[in-house]
Amino acid sequence: MPLHQRTASDPPETMLELAALVDRTLHEAGVHPRLWSTGTTYTLPLERPLDAATARAFAARYFLTGLYARDLNVERMYFYNWGGGKIPIVRDGGTQRAAIIWTVAGSAELTAHRSATMLHRLDGTSHPVRRGDTITVGQEPVFVEG
């Protein structure tokens, strides 16, 4: 079942409205099939391309939205090569506290939590952060360790 935003230029989080409707409808009907989202909108090739930064941000946010949609019984999310595999989410070395944060539009400033140690961006850059530092967050997700 394609659970996706209505157009390529819509934020990936807009698919959650459709996922909630599907989950509620199936629940009311008394059926509970395994839900998978098998990609983005079929009209993607017909739409204007996104700029590189927005495409990179949307690819990461699509994946993260899929994780969030697990509460709506979406078991799996697939997207096919939206910019490759350099999303810095998978980390080796055991369990650690972390947050992935972004905005749907615009930007916001947050104060780093007392345990924050490192901020990673999708472009591969990283820099240390300490308690009280200001972290500026935009539409591209950032990974904050600690």
Side-chain angles (χ1 to χ4, degrees), residues 103-108 137-139:
T103 64
V104 173
S107 63
V137 181
Q139 295 180 50

Side-chain angles (χ1 to χ4, degrees), residues 4 33 57 62 72 77 89 94 117 123:
H4 54 74
Y62 179 84
L72 299 170
M77 292 281 287
I89 294 172
T117 58
D123 64 6

Side-chain angles (χ1 to χ4, degrees), residues 15-127:
M15 66 78 68
L16 291 171
E17 181 182 343
L18 177 58
L21 174 63
V22 168
D23 180 56
R24 185 173 55 252
T25 302
L26 292 172
H27 179 75
E28 289 171 359
V31 295
H32 306 285
R34 300 163 102 188
L35 298 179
W36 294 9
S37 179
T38 56
T40 187
T41 174
Y42 296 117
T43 61
L44 187 64
L46 305 174
E47 298 182 34
R48 293 175 67 150
L50 300 173
D51 63 86
T54 301
R56 182 174 59 233
F58 276 20
R61 288 165 49 190
Y62 179 84
F63 173 72
L64 296 166
T65 298
L67 292 175
Y68 184 83
R70 292 182 71 194
D71 286 343
L72 299 170
N73 296 311
V74 175
E75 187 177 287
R76 296 182 185 186
M77 292 281 287
Y78 295 97
F79 62 90
Y80 301 98
N81 200 26
W82 281 8
K86 294 188 177 184
I87 300 171
I89 294 172
V90 178
R91 291 282 193 221
D92 296 327
T95 304
Q96 62 180 320
R97 291 187 179 267
I100 301 172
I101 50 179
W102 70 91
T103 64
V104 173
S107 63
E109 290 188 346
L110 305 170
T111 302
H113 187 267
R114 68 176 178 261
S115 62
T117 58
M118 187 70 69
L119 182 137
H120 302 275
R121 299 196 179 278
L122 289 178
D123 64 6
T125 60
S126 299
H127 69 273

